[in-house]
């Protein structure tokens, strides 16, 4: 393949999702993210940073999308996804060089103090591990876990505590959504920026974000679901509960409701990812039927 990267545009999102869904269908999902994670990783968490056109690169050839890369995740992390025929090749190593260099340039421009670049790799992905070793990367941590649940298994009834209600989000909920995310994750999202740079971007559908509303009107918990119609896999990302409302069964009730929604949408499997050190999240997901599938490993150079 002879091509060079070009900047991402918002119009590329459906093309990237279609390409990724096809790659997963052809080669399995080891080493590939869920199609719903593309908009999540391009837009969410990047308010006030360089635009997506500077952080995301796309490679094309005569047959369509050949690869795409995301830079500046978690300040110094990058990702590269290539079509199955390209994985493990010299062409992919060239792409990795280019993405690493782009990540370093953006880090320097932003005044980052980190000197390492990092990437996460699935434990099953021997091909990517070999490529990274060739480029001088070393494993340094267990990053997170990926869990799956068959939607063919029974889904228990979900009951919220008295006074709490569950509904789909709307575009007008941007301030409340930013507030509950800030509380759950310790972030500092500004409501208008969250609306304009996340909710108004391609891929976001407010009806796919469920919120639990507390008796006082605050959002107590939230969950966003994504669909891979090609492979019939639904994803939960993100999932959070406001600290003021934890340990009341809100997360379990919300997830069980979302599992039924994925089932109605024709999905056969549900996926969720979580930090390796987040024991409460692991306990919650086990309680609703998820089982560990893969571990992601952190590599750095």
């Amino acid at each position: 393949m002879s091509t060079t990267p070009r900047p991402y545009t918002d119009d590329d999102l459906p093309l990237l999702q279609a390409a990724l869904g096809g790659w997963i269908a052809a080669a399995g999902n080891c080493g590939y993210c869920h199609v719903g994670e593309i908009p999540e990783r391009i837009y969410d968490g990047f308010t006030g940073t360089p635009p997506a056109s500077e952080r995301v690169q796309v490679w094309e050839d005569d047959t369509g999308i050949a690869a795409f890369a995301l830079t500046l995740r978690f300040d110094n992390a990058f990702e590269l996804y290539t079509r199955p025929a390209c994985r493990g090749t010299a062409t992919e190593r060239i792409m990795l060089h280019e993405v690493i260099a782009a990540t370093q340039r953006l880090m320097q421009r932003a005044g980052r103090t980190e000197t390492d670049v990092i990437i996460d790799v699935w434990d099953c992905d021997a091909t990517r591990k070999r490529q990274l070793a060739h480029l001088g990367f070393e494993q340094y941590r267990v990053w997170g876990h990926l869990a799956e649940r068959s939607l063919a298994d029974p889904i228990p009834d979900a009951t919220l505590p008295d006074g709490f209600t569950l509904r789909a989000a709307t575009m007008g909920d941007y301030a409340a959504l930013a507030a509950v995310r800030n509380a759950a994750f310790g972030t500092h999202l500004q409501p208008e920026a969250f609306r304009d740079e996340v909710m108004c971007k391609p891929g976001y559908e407010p009806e796919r974000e469920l919120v639990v509303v507390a008796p006082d009107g605050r959002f107590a918990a939230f969950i966003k679901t994504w669909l891979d119609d090609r492979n019939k896999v639904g994803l939960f990302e993100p999932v959070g509960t406001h600290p003021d409302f934890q340990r009341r069964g809100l997360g379990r009730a919300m997830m069980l409701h979302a599992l039924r929604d994925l089932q109605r949408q024709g999905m056969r499997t549900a996926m969720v990812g979580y930090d390796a050190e987040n024991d409460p999240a692991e306990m919650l997901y086990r309680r609703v039927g998820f089982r560990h599938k893969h571990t992601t490993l952190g590599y750095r150079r």
Side-chain angles (χ1 to χ4, degrees):
M1 178 180 61
S2 176
T3 186
T4 55
R6 64 165 176 80
Y8 167 88
T9 71
D10 288 344
D11 291 339
D12 287 322
L13 179 61
L15 302 178
L16 298 188
Q17 291 180 307
L20 181 60
W23 300 345
I24 293 171
N29 68 347
C30 178
Y32 290 119
C33 69
H34 188 278
V35 299
E37 290 182 279
I38 302 176
E40 185 72 16
R41 296 181 183 192
I42 290 176
Y43 301 114
D44 205 345
F46 283 102
T47 57
T49 66
S53 60
E54 297 182 34
R55 293 182 283 102
V56 185
Q57 303 172 42
V58 180
W59 286 259
E60 289 178 301
D61 61 15
D62 293 341
T63 62
I65 303 294
F68 62 94
L70 302 92
T71 64
L72 217 62
R73 296 198 71 237
F74 309 114
D75 295 338
N76 63 331
F78 68 95
E79 299 175 17
L80 173 68
Y81 300 103
T82 61
R83 70 161 61 114
C86 185
R87 301 195 80 242
T89 65
T91 297
E92 187 184 53
R93 284 198 296 275
I94 293 172
M95 292 177 176
L96 284 164
H97 275 296
E98 292 173 346
V99 178
I100 292 165
T103 304
Q104 290 172 325
R105 285 194 300 271
L106 287 170
M107 289 167 59
Q108 292 171 359
R109 195 177 80 183
R112 308 293 189 198
T113 59
E114 299 91 348
T115 58
D116 293 343
V117 287
I118 61 177
I119 184 173
D120 64 324
V121 182
W122 291 37
D123 53 0
C124 60
D125 195 353
T127 300
R128 179 54 59 86
K129 291 177 185 178
R130 286 194 297 269
Q131 291 284 57
L132 293 175
H134 182 85
L135 296 172
F137 281 77
E138 295 181 348
Q139 180 187 334
Y140 75 102
R141 62 164 283 184
V142 173
W143 197 309
H145 298 301
L146 296 163
E148 289 187 358
R149 186 199 197 280
S150 171
L151 294 173
D153 296 336
I155 301 174
D157 292 335
T159 304
L160 288 167
D162 290 343
F164 289 84
T165 57
L166 180 73
R167 65 169 175 85
T170 70
M171 293 299 292
D173 290 327
Y174 64 91
L177 285 170
V180 71
R181 286 171 183 247
N182 287 338
F185 300 145
T187 52
H188 303 283
L189 297 171
Q190 297 301 312
E192 290 76 14
F194 178 71
R195 177 195 61 202
D196 297 342
E197 300 181 39
V198 178
M199 297 178 70
C200 290
K201 291 296 185 178
Y204 184 86
E205 300 174 3
E207 63 271 18
R208 300 228 59 84
E209 183 146 19
L210 297 176
V211 295
V212 176
V213 184
D216 63 5
R218 287 186 292 166
F219 284 2
F222 64 97
I223 186 171
K224 190 192 299 183
T225 59
W226 303 90
L227 305 180
D228 179 350
D229 290 315
R230 175 77 179 270
N231 298 288
K232 303 303 180 186
V233 178
L235 173 74
F236 292 160
E237 175 63 32
V239 181
T241 301
H242 193 296
D244 290 350
F245 301 102
Q246 292 176 353
R247 301 184 184 279
R248 301 193 192 189
L250 304 183
R252 180 177 182 274
M254 177 177 63
M255 292 195 72
L256 291 173
H257 183 94
L259 284 168
R260 287 200 192 86
D261 184 58
L262 292 178
Q263 194 178 56
R264 286 191 294 268
Q265 294 290 323
M267 300 298 104
R268 294 192 291 265
T269 304
M271 291 178 55
V272 68
Y274 55 96
D275 190 281
E277 298 179 355
N278 193 339
D279 293 335
E282 181 174 17
M283 292 176 60
L284 169 62
Y285 301 145
R286 282 189 172 275
R287 288 183 62 207
V288 296
F290 283 89
R291 295 296 178 261
H292 177 269
K293 180 70 172 181
H294 290 294
T295 294
T296 53
L297 309 170
Y299 278 69
R300 68 182 175 192
R301 189 184 75 179

